[in-house]
Amino acid sequence: MATKTSEDPRVHLLPHVYEASCLAYKGLLKHNDDQSILVSGESGAGKTETVKILLGDIASIQKGPTATLGVGDNEIVKKVLDSNPLLEAFGNARTLRNDNSSRFGKYLQLQFDRESSSRCTLAGSKCEVYLLEKSRVTMHHPDERTYHIFYQLLAAPEATKQQIWSGLANTDNESFDYVGWTNTTSIEGKTDAERFQLTVQALELIGLRGESLLTLWRAICIVLQLGNLDFVPDPQNSDASIVDDEEELEVLSELIGIPSSPLTAALTIRTVQARSETFQVPLTADKAKESTDAFAKEIYPKTFLW
C-alpha cells in the first residue's frame, strides 16, 4: 500500500541558481532572516555570470508577480544592476581560461525594506572587495591581458583621450609597457571602445562626472606612464640609478603634478630611519624599477577600492 509523503519534489533535482535566489528572497520575506548566497568555483566556472543572474532575478522577484519584468521604473534597482560594468572594467581581465575573469573577491550586500510579509523592496546595496590581484597591474602572461579598463581607455575616442591627457593622443596598447600587444579587442561580444562607453555611463549613473571623472582617468594614466619609466646605472655611482629617458619622466611629472627632481628621488632613493637618524640609500636600476612598479601597484588598487 502506497503512502503519501510531504517531501518537496525539488530535493531530487540538481541545485539551480534561480532556486537559490528565490529561496533567499523567501527567507527574507517570510522569516525575516538575513540571507547569504556563496558563489565559488575555479577560474572560468561562471561565478561572474552567476552573480549577474542572481542580481537580475532578485531584482525581478522583488517587484512582485503582477509587475512587468523591466526595472527602469526603479532607480535603485537600475543602479544596482547597471553599475556592475564598473566592477568588471576595473577588476576583471582576460586570462588563459576566461575572457572576463574576476581578479578579486567581493561581498555584495543587497539591502531591502520589508514592507510586509508579502513584499520586500530593494532599498540599496553595498559592495566590499578584497584580494585584488595587484601583480596583474604591472605584469601579465603574453596571452593574457591586464585589467579591462586600460584597454577601454586606450580605445576611447581620440577627442576624449585628448581631453583626459595630452599624452594619450594617438596612443594604442603598445604605447605603454604595462599593457602591450594583444590580439583580443572584444570581450563577450563588445569591443573595448563599446565597453568604455558602458563604463562611462555606469560612472555617471553613480554621480561621477566632470572634474571628478577626469581625475579618475588621470590616475589610471599615471599608472600607465609609470610603466614606461626605465632605469640605468648612474655613471657616477654604480650602486645608484637614474631615469633612462628624461622625456618620459617629464611627461609623468607634468601628469602627476610633482616636479621631476623630487619625483626622481622618490623612485631611486630609499629612506631608512634608525632610531633618531635618517639615511638615504640609493637604489640600483633593478631596485628602482621594482620601486616604480610597487608605486603603480599601490595607486591602482586604491583607485579600484575608491
Side-chain angles (χ1 to χ4, degrees):
M1 179 177 178
T3 58
K4 293 184 178 180
T5 177
S6 58
E7 183 183 38
D8 189 336
R10 290 176 297 181
V11 300
H12 300 293
L13 300 176
L14 293 174
H16 197 284
V17 62
Y18 287 116
E19 183 186 24
S21 58
C22 289
L23 289 176
Y25 183 78
K26 181 180 178 181
L28 185 72
L29 186 67
K30 300 295 184 182
H31 307 296
N32 200 25
D33 289 333
D34 292 340
Q35 304 291 313
S36 295
I37 301 175
L38 176 64
V39 181
S40 66
E42 62 183 15
S43 179
K47 296 184 296 295
T48 299
E49 288 304 312
T50 298
V51 171
K52 290 181 187 178
I53 292 170
L54 288 168
L55 288 175
D57 192 40
I58 292 175
S60 298
I61 295 171
Q62 61 96 39
K63 292 181 60 116
T66 60
T68 60
L69 292 179
V71 296
D73 57 335
N74 188 320
E75 189 65 22
I76 294 175
V77 174
K78 182 175 176 61
K79 285 184 177 181
V80 170
L81 297 180
D82 291 356
S83 62
N84 194 62
L86 285 184
L87 291 176
E88 293 190 8
F90 285 86
N92 287 21
R94 180 182 185 272
T95 66
L96 293 175
R97 301 184 65 180
N98 184 358
D99 278 358
N100 193 25
S101 177
S102 296
R103 310 315 300 163
F104 65 101
K106 65 183 175 186
Y107 173 71
L108 181 62
Q109 183 185 75
L110 299 182
Q111 301 159 340
F112 288 85
D113 280 336
R114 187 170 181 271
E115 300 176 355
S116 67
S117 61
S118 61
R119 180 170 175 78
C120 285
T121 303
L122 188 61
S125 76
K126 181 174 69 172
C127 185
E128 296 180 10
V129 297
Y130 51 92
L131 297 177
L132 179 72
E133 187 181 41
K134 294 197 291 185
S135 61
R136 188 170 292 270
V137 175
T138 61
M139 181 175 59
H140 57 274
H141 187 280
D143 293 327
E144 296 186 345
R145 304 203 319 177
T146 184
Y147 291 103
H148 294 327
I149 193 63
F150 294 112
Y151 303 91
Q152 293 179 13
L153 182 59
L154 291 169
E158 280 299 321
T160 301
K161 292 165 66 175
Q162 182 72 37
Q163 182 185 14
I164 292 170
W165 174 43
S166 59
L168 277 182
N170 300 313
T171 58
D172 56 24
N173 298 335
E174 295 180 74
S175 301
F176 298 97
D177 289 348
Y178 284 162
V179 182
W181 179 85
T182 177
N183 62 355
T184 301
T185 57
S186 64
I187 299 295
E188 296 182 348
K190 289 186 173 61
T191 65
D192 292 322
E194 291 171 332
R195 288 194 174 275
F196 175 77
Q197 297 301 327
L198 292 176
T199 300
V200 171
Q201 291 171 15
L203 288 165
E204 290 179 345
L205 184 67
I206 62 171
L208 197 63
R209 55 179 64 89
E211 283 300 316
S212 296
L213 183 58
L214 285 177
T215 300
L216 172 64
W217 293 137
R218 286 167 184 161
I220 301 300
C221 291
I222 289 170
V223 174
L224 287 171
Q225 186 60 24
L226 280 168
N228 283 6
L229 292 188
D230 288 313
F231 301 86
V232 295
D234 187 338
Q236 300 177 354
N237 182 359
S238 59
D239 291 330
S241 59
I242 59 174
V243 178
D244 185 33
D245 191 334
E246 286 292 331
E247 184 177 343
E248 294 282 11
L249 176 65
E250 290 299 329
V251 169
L252 176 63
S253 174
E254 180 182 357
L255 174 62
I256 204 171
I258 298 175
S260 58
S261 180
L263 181 58
T264 301
L267 297 175
T268 60
I269 298 175
R270 179 166 59 96
T271 301
V272 180
Q273 288 186 329
R275 295 184 179 179
S276 59
E277 295 183 281
T278 301
F279 302 93
Q280 288 191 328
V281 181
L283 299 175
T284 63
D286 289 342
K287 292 296 183 182
K289 183 62 176 176
E290 290 176 10
S291 174
T292 302
D293 288 346
F295 187 28
K297 287 188 286 188
E298 281 302 305
I299 294 175
Y300 186 80
K302 283 181 169 55
T303 303
F304 176 65
L305 289 172
W306 178 77

